[in-house]
Amino acid sequence: MSKIKEKLTKELIDFLQGERIISLITVDKETKKPTVSTISWLFAHESGEKIKFALGHKSSSIENIENDPYIVLNVVGPESCYEIKGTGNVSEIMQGTMKFRVVTVEIDSVEDVIFYGGKINAVPGYEKTYDAELANKIDHEIYSELKK
């Protein structure tokens, strides 16, 4: 049986410093049912009590969080799967190369949710399929905000 913690471990803090594939679960504003999206712009605060992530300013997840701020983040790795529950607060629209909003999550609980006897041996990866120079510029702008 896994133990529920109230904040991120040092290992998870180190892991969640951006460029990870994370599932974001929110409650759909219209249907009132859970919905999932995938995010990668994120940054865990060193205290282990907060995570910030960025979304495009028109993301349906933004509307969902503004309507019902309770969210779940599902993290695959390091070595396990983790459910991070918390309450999200959405920023105003930020203007950079693209418009985006930052969600600050106050963490309520962190739980190791891998099945019995399971261990993650490879962390999912991805590649950006658009202009590399543009991707770097956008990443720099967004991470500058997330690290504030």
Side-chain angles (χ1 to χ4, degrees), residues 3-5 12 22 24 26 28 34 44 56 62 67 71 79 83 86 92 100 102 108 120 123 129 133 136-138 145:
K3 184 177 177 187
I4 298 175
K5 296 179 176 28
L12 273 173
I22 306 298
L24 166 64
T26 60
D28 186 273
I62 293 292
N67 187 62
I71 66 164
E79 297 192 350
E83 174 188 67
E92 296 298 318
F100 65 97
V102 172
D108 295 329
I120 299 299
V123 176
T129 58
E133 189 175 316
N136 286 335
K137 183 177 181 182
I138 292 170
E145 285 297 324

Side-chain angles (χ1 to χ4, degrees), residues 77-122:
E79 297 192 350
S80 196
C81 294
Y82 303 90
E83 174 188 67
I84 302 168
K85 293 180 180 177
T87 305
N89 182 32
V90 180
S91 75
E92 296 298 318
I93 295 173
M94 298 184 178
Q95 178 66 57
T97 302
M98 65 172 267
K99 291 180 183 179
F100 65 97
R101 296 177 85 175
V102 172
V103 178
T104 302
V105 180
E106 297 291 334
I107 296 171
D108 295 329
S109 65
V110 180
E111 184 175 5
D112 184 330
V113 293
I114 192 102
F115 52 87
Y116 177 77
K119 179 179 175 182
I120 299 299
N121 61 14

Side-chain angles (χ1 to χ4, degrees), residues 6-109:
E6 293 181 1
K7 63 183 189 174
L8 301 171
T9 63
K10 173 79 168 101
E11 185 178 37
L12 273 173
I13 293 167
D14 291 345
F15 184 75
L16 296 173
Q17 295 302 307
E19 299 299 313
R20 298 290 182 197
I21 297 174
I22 306 298
S23 294
L24 166 64
I25 297 94
T26 60
V27 176
D28 186 273
K29 180 181 176 182
E30 302 299 321
T31 68
K32 308 295 184 217
K33 295 181 179 178
T35 186
V36 66
S37 59
T38 304
I39 62 173
S40 65
W41 286 315
L42 72 142
F43 183 80
H45 190 270
E46 64 187 25
S47 70
E49 297 172 352
K50 282 192 259 187
I51 293 177
K52 290 184 178 182
F53 62 86
L55 297 168
H57 75 291
K58 291 184 179 180
S59 167
S60 60
S61 294
I62 293 292
E63 289 183 4
N64 294 345
I65 295 166
E66 288 178 325
N67 187 62
D68 182 345
Y70 192 69
I71 66 164
V72 176
L73 297 169
N74 178 259
V75 176
V76 177
E79 297 192 350
S80 196
C81 294
Y82 303 90
E83 174 188 67
I84 302 168
K85 293 180 180 177
T87 305
N89 182 32
V90 180
S91 75
E92 296 298 318
I93 295 173
M94 298 184 178
Q95 178 66 57
T97 302
M98 65 172 267
K99 291 180 183 179
F100 65 97
R101 296 177 85 175
V102 172
V103 178
T104 302
V105 180
E106 297 291 334
I107 296 171
D108 295 329
S109 65

